[in-house]
Amino acid sequence: MTNSISQVDPLSLGSDADLETVLSAWYTATVQLERTHEALREEVKRLTGELEVKNRELARKDRLADLGRMASHIAHEVRNNLVPVTLYLSLLRRRVADDCSCGEILDKVEAGFTALDVTVHDLLHFTADRDPRREMFLVSELIEEVVESLAPQFSAQSIDATHTVDSELTVWADRDMLRRAILNLTLNAIDIMPEGGRLEVCAVERETGIEIEVADTGPGLSDEVAGKLFDPFFTTKSSGTGLGLAIVARIVEVHGGQIVVSNRPEGGAVFTLQLPSVVSKESAA
């Protein structure tokens, strides 16, 4: 009987309804109204949160676009002036080949120019605005290529580097871009493990695409650092451009994917590149 009363619309009750029935009906209507109000409030809160995230992302992209145009102009101007200076240094070295003291000074000058060229190179990579030149290739070969190229650094810093990838796993992506992304993540891991540690690179196929993980046993990341990690020019290092991870984020973005970073329970951090399945392997073949 209670259930039948709870479904009564107070406005449909006749004049002969008793007080208990009227009060029960009004109570039920009030409860339902409160639930509806709460549900609407939660939905408004959710939509407001999504809108704020989208607005922040849009503002970030606008800032990056302006920054990219400025950085590209500066990088090209600097590189244009580096070319003749490097040539003059080479000629000068030949003239003072027998002077050891001059040779040492030139070594330092060239080291400075090399560091500057690395900065320019990072700027140009960061500002490169082109669509990926996609091709189908084996992920294992790409990761092995990156890991083997850094073998001397792993050995020098006592880093145990391992990689686990299905030998048949393929990805439809820009090989040069993806190599750059994995290389930057690996170099970042090397930098935060100066006293040695473990580096693990693995790739797996999910229903939504390919995931490539680069994990380290470094100090991990604070919430503050994790929130700024992919911002251009942000770095916790004493040297460097602060563009390495920003370049990684840009590469993943133009592939329609995303990068996720988290701390490992056993210590260290893990960076995960999530690349969507753009086309099937059959249609790409």
Side-chain angles (χ1 to χ4, degrees), residues 3-256:
N3 291 336
S4 63
I5 293 177
S6 64
Q7 302 300 320
V8 176
D9 182 355
L11 298 178
S12 66
L13 295 175
S15 58
D16 58 340
D18 58 52
L19 181 59
E20 180 182 356
T21 302
V22 173
L23 291 177
S24 178
W26 275 111
Y27 173 77
T28 300
T30 302
V31 170
Q32 291 176 343
L33 184 61
E34 289 178 349
R35 289 175 179 173
T36 302
H37 176 73
E38 183 64 25
L40 288 174
R41 186 169 62 180
E42 289 298 321
E43 182 65 11
V44 170
K45 182 179 179 181
R46 184 185 67 80
L47 292 175
T48 301
E50 289 183 359
L51 182 60
E52 290 177 353
V53 171
K54 295 294 184 183
N55 285 338
R56 287 197 299 268
E57 183 63 21
L58 182 60
R60 175 179 174 274
K61 289 183 177 181
D62 288 341
R63 290 196 302 272
L64 289 180
D66 292 339
L67 181 61
R69 286 189 288 269
M70 179 186 70
S72 179
H73 175 74
I74 293 174
H76 281 290
E77 289 298 319
V78 172
R79 173 156 286 185
N80 288 340
N81 286 286
L82 277 178
V83 173
V85 172
T86 303
L87 176 61
Y88 295 148
L89 279 175
S90 178
L91 295 174
L92 183 59
R93 181 178 288 280
R94 295 177 187 175
R95 294 190 178 185
V96 298
D98 298 329
D99 191 330
C100 294
S101 60
C102 287
E104 292 176 357
I105 294 174
L106 285 177
D107 287 340
K108 294 179 180 179
V109 173
E110 286 187 347
F113 277 109
T114 299
L116 182 57
D117 188 61
V118 170
T119 300
V120 172
H121 189 261
D122 280 348
L123 281 171
L124 291 176
H125 264 277
F126 173 69
T127 58
D129 187 16
R130 69 172 177 84
D131 293 330
R133 301 186 181 98
R134 297 181 185 273
E135 59 179 305
M136 188 68 76
F137 58 89
L138 292 171
V139 180
S140 58
E141 291 183 355
L142 178 62
I143 292 179
E144 286 173 6
E145 179 183 315
V146 172
V147 173
E148 289 176 5
S149 70
L150 297 173
Q153 288 178 260
F154 294 142
S155 178
Q157 290 184 211
S158 299
I159 294 176
D160 179 22
T162 60
H163 54 281
T164 307
V165 187
D166 182 348
S167 60
E168 300 300 320
L169 182 61
T170 58
V171 64
W172 178 250
D174 187 308
R175 196 179 192 281
D176 290 338
M177 281 186 169
L178 195 55
R179 182 186 185 281
R180 175 74 179 187
I182 297 173
L183 177 63
N184 282 9
L185 291 179
T186 306
L187 290 173
N188 186 69
I190 291 175
D191 287 341
I192 62 176
M193 296 189 293
E195 304 302 323
R198 292 195 316 277
L199 174 73
E200 301 171 5
V201 184
C202 68
V204 294
E205 186 171 17
R206 307 291 188 190
E207 291 184 0
T208 56
I210 303 295
E211 288 190 359
I212 300 174
E213 291 187 352
V214 178
D216 61 68
T217 55
L221 302 165
S222 66
D223 291 340
E224 180 181 1
V225 170
K228 301 178 181 178
L229 210 52
F230 302 106
D231 290 348
F233 305 111
F234 173 79
T235 180
T236 59
K237 307 172 189 176
S238 57
S239 60
T241 61
L243 286 173
L245 293 179
I247 291 172
V248 175
R250 174 68 65 86
I251 290 172
V252 177
E253 182 180 306
V254 298
H255 278 82

